[in-house]
Amino acid sequence: MKKGYLSQYFNGVAAKRLSAVEANILRSNQHEFNGTKGIKNILGESEGKVYYKTKFIYLSDYDDEPIAEEGSLTWYDTRYKNINRSAEYRLYFPDNRVSQCANEKDILVIAKRPDDTLLAIVAEAETTIAQQILWLFGFSDLTHPGFSGREELETEQDRVQFASRLILESIGIPVEETEESFLEKMLGKFNDKFPNTKIFSEYARSTLPDVKIHNENDADAVLMAWMEREEILFKTMEKHIIGERLSLGFAGDVDGFIKFSLSVQNRRKIRVGLALENHLEKIFHEYGIRYSRNPITENKSKPDFTFPGKKEYHDASFSKLNLTMLGVKSSCKDRWRQVLSEATRVDKKHLLTLEAAISKNQTDEMASKNLHLILPSKLHQSYLPEQRNWLMSVSNFVQHLLEQQRSLC
């Protein structure tokens, strides 16, 4: 097990794409898969039946929360005690809400945790979450009928970083990466409570004095470094603040506990998006790019950024061909469509996100709506080859803005 890699959370993982017959098997009374090499290497050989405590999850882009159930998977040799025949392993999958959701071409993942429990994931075919699961676990080709397996999860692909943390947390795997050496400094500086996001983002950047903008190609790495650092510092401080509050107890105050829990969840959701905007604003400032943040446009909508600014946007004599609009969302799902109705003078919209492996169906629809997707260059590898030529990097976008600004001089 190596800290900071998938091996910290999983001992091995096997995956396959369900055939029509296998999907029917999951919904029928049989529920058994052949124990091919890919999964046998993960679960090993056994004498008799082995019951693994398992969390079952069904994932789809269209549900806010995954369908989840607790149960068990059974691993056994159908020829156990038959000394005249070689072993033939099977994996028995129980009937539950997750198995009932399975369909042809869905992704099935069996992941073994360090505590010897299993995670069984069914992800709906051709969705963003299915593509993200494949990318997270390092699977690219599932065309053969059996399970593909991975036992060593410590390659560079397996390093847990910002995008992979988001996916892990979406399947119920908390990533508790902290930097305790900063805790006392932060508690003293911020009086044991979170400051507003702008101040916290500034502090996060200040802890990385060597991360600087030198040329037009630095924006991608700088943005990810700042986001990674802020995320770790936030988790460090949040862990302490939540721990302190829980140590006081709630003395039977159920409403108080629920209110506290919701406040934690809301802070997490809001903070990431604002942190991303804060760091982008700093990047634009460093490059000398003119912009307005959250200007009011038609119908009181407030796009995240307009370029060169709100004055030019509201000047009817200023050519709309020289206007650029940027929406910023740390993760997209269907929320990307919100950007389409903002800044109506701008025909071609841009959207920057940190979400890995958005499905081809989604990116094709974005392109058809004249919306161009921007991601830090490191995340481009999570997309299919046929998607990558269409994607923009942060540096590409910065160069576009600088060229547009020079043309106005």
Side-chain angles (χ1 to χ4, degrees):
M1 184 271 284
K2 192 173 180 180
K3 188 175 180 182
Y5 290 77
L6 286 181
S7 60
Q8 185 176 347
Y9 306 96
F10 304 99
N11 289 345
V13 60
K16 72 182 330 295
R17 194 178 295 277
L18 295 177
S19 67
V21 171
E22 290 168 331
N24 287 335
I25 283 174
L26 279 182
R27 295 194 301 267
S28 72
N29 293 322
Q30 299 178 60
H31 300 288
E32 288 189 337
F33 291 92
N34 290 328
T36 55
K37 182 179 178 181
I39 195 164
K40 184 179 177 182
N41 290 344
I42 306 300
L43 301 182
E45 298 183 357
S46 67
E47 295 183 358
K49 294 183 176 181
V50 179
Y51 299 93
Y52 285 99
K53 184 178 178 182
T54 305
K55 182 176 182 179
F56 299 88
I57 301 177
Y58 178 77
L59 300 169
S60 168
D61 288 349
Y62 312 105
D63 297 318
D64 291 335
E65 296 293 334
I67 295 172
E69 284 203 13
E70 301 288 340
S72 65
L73 285 170
T74 307
W75 177 245
Y76 69 103
D77 176 10
T78 62
R79 297 172 177 173
Y80 177 58
K81 292 186 178 180
N82 188 336
I83 61 174
N84 298 317
R85 302 185 69 182
S86 59
E88 183 178 277
Y89 284 93
R90 299 285 179 83
L91 181 69
Y92 177 79
F93 202 109
D95 183 33
N96 57 32
R97 289 190 300 156
V98 173
S99 65
Q100 290 298 314
C101 290
N103 286 292
E104 181 182 2
K105 296 184 180 180
D106 286 354
I107 302 299
L108 171 63
V109 173
I110 308 295
K112 191 174 184 183
R113 303 293 309 279
D115 61 1
D116 237 21
T117 63
L118 299 180
L119 182 64
I121 302 170
V122 177
E124 185 178 2
E126 299 181 355
T127 58
T128 292
I129 190 61
Q131 191 164 317
Q132 289 176 340
I133 292 296
L134 291 175
W135 173 72
L136 174 70
F137 290 117
F139 293 110
S140 58
D141 182 13
L142 295 180
T143 55
H144 61 87
F147 279 96
S148 295
R150 295 190 64 218
E151 301 164 74
E152 301 296 330
L153 300 173
E154 296 183 352
T155 68
E156 185 59 29
Q157 158 69 25
D158 302 311
R159 186 188 294 273
V160 176
Q161 300 184 72
F162 190 91
S164 47
R165 277 200 296 269
L166 294 179
I167 301 171
L168 284 170
E169 290 174 356
S170 76
I171 60 175
I173 307 294
V175 180
E176 299 297 337
E177 187 175 357
T178 59
E179 186 55 76
E180 299 301 323
S181 63
F182 284 95
L183 180 59
E184 289 302 319
K185 298 176 186 176
M186 289 191 292
L187 294 177
K189 184 176 182 66
F190 303 128
N191 297 318
D192 286 20
K193 61 183 180 181
F194 280 110
N196 68 48
T197 56
K198 189 176 182 66
I199 292 174
F200 198 74
S201 293
E202 289 172 354
Y203 174 74
R205 292 194 297 267
S206 75
T207 67
L208 293 172
D210 295 331
V211 176
K212 297 178 180 179
I213 297 289
H214 297 288
N215 56 57
E216 293 180 11
N217 298 316
D218 289 339
D220 296 87
V222 167
L223 178 62
M224 289 307 293
W226 286 344
M227 286 299 296
E228 289 276 356
R229 175 52 62 91
E230 179 161 350
E231 181 73 5
I232 290 172
L233 294 180
F234 173 81
K235 288 284 183 70
T236 301
M237 194 163 175
E238 182 190 57
K239 181 179 178 181
H240 171 81
I241 290 174
I242 291 177
E244 290 287 299
R245 179 63 187 90
L246 292 178
S247 68
L248 299 175
F250 289 87
D253 182 5
V254 176
D255 289 339
F257 174 77
I258 293 174
K259 183 178 179 181
F260 175 71
S261 176
L262 289 174
S263 71
V264 170
Q265 295 176 50
N266 289 335
R267 181 171 59 216
R268 288 180 175 180
K269 291 177 182 177
I270 295 171
R271 182 199 59 83
V272 179
L274 289 175
L276 182 55
E277 288 185 40
N278 292 337
H279 296 313
L280 280 169
E281 183 173 25
K282 179 64 173 177
I283 286 173
F284 297 146
H285 178 75
E286 289 293 306
Y287 282 112
I289 293 169
R290 292 161 53 196
Y291 67 88
S292 290
R293 182 174 176 180
N294 303 131
I296 297 175
T297 60
E298 301 83 2
N299 302 315
K300 297 185 178 179
S301 65
K302 297 175 70 175
D304 296 311
F305 292 95
T306 59
F307 308 88
K310 61 182 179 181
K311 178 183 176 181
E312 291 80 3
Y313 184 87
H314 290 291
D315 182 355
S317 66
F318 189 86
S319 173
K320 67 178 185 179
L321 297 177
N322 292 322
L323 294 172
T324 296
M325 173 267 189
L326 177 67
V328 179
K329 295 188 182 300
S330 58
S331 61
C332 288
K333 288 198 172 182
D334 283 340
R335 296 186 304 121
W336 63 266
R337 292 183 180 84
Q338 297 169 3
V339 175
L340 300 177
S341 62
E342 299 173 346
T344 57
R345 282 197 70 198
V346 181
D347 295 326
K348 185 175 182 177
K349 309 288 201 296
H350 290 83
L351 173 63
L352 189 148
T353 185
L354 301 181
E355 184 159 8
I358 296 174
S359 71
K360 189 172 183 303
N361 289 339
Q362 289 270 39
T363 56
D364 284 349
E365 185 180 355
M366 289 177 185
S368 73
K369 302 290 188 183
N370 221 8
L371 178 68
H372 210 134
L373 194 62
I374 305 166
L375 300 107
S377 56
K378 197 170 186 178
L379 296 182
H380 288 207
Q381 64 182 330
S382 70
Y383 285 72
L384 300 175
E386 56 265 38
Q387 294 173 288
R388 293 174 196 166
N389 289 336
W390 171 74
L391 299 173
M392 289 183 75
S393 67
V394 184
S395 294
N396 293 153
F397 184 64
V398 164
Q399 290 163 11
H400 161 73
L401 294 175
L402 289 172
E403 289 169 6
Q404 185 180 67
Q405 188 165 295
R406 291 182 193 119
S407 71
L408 300 176
C409 296

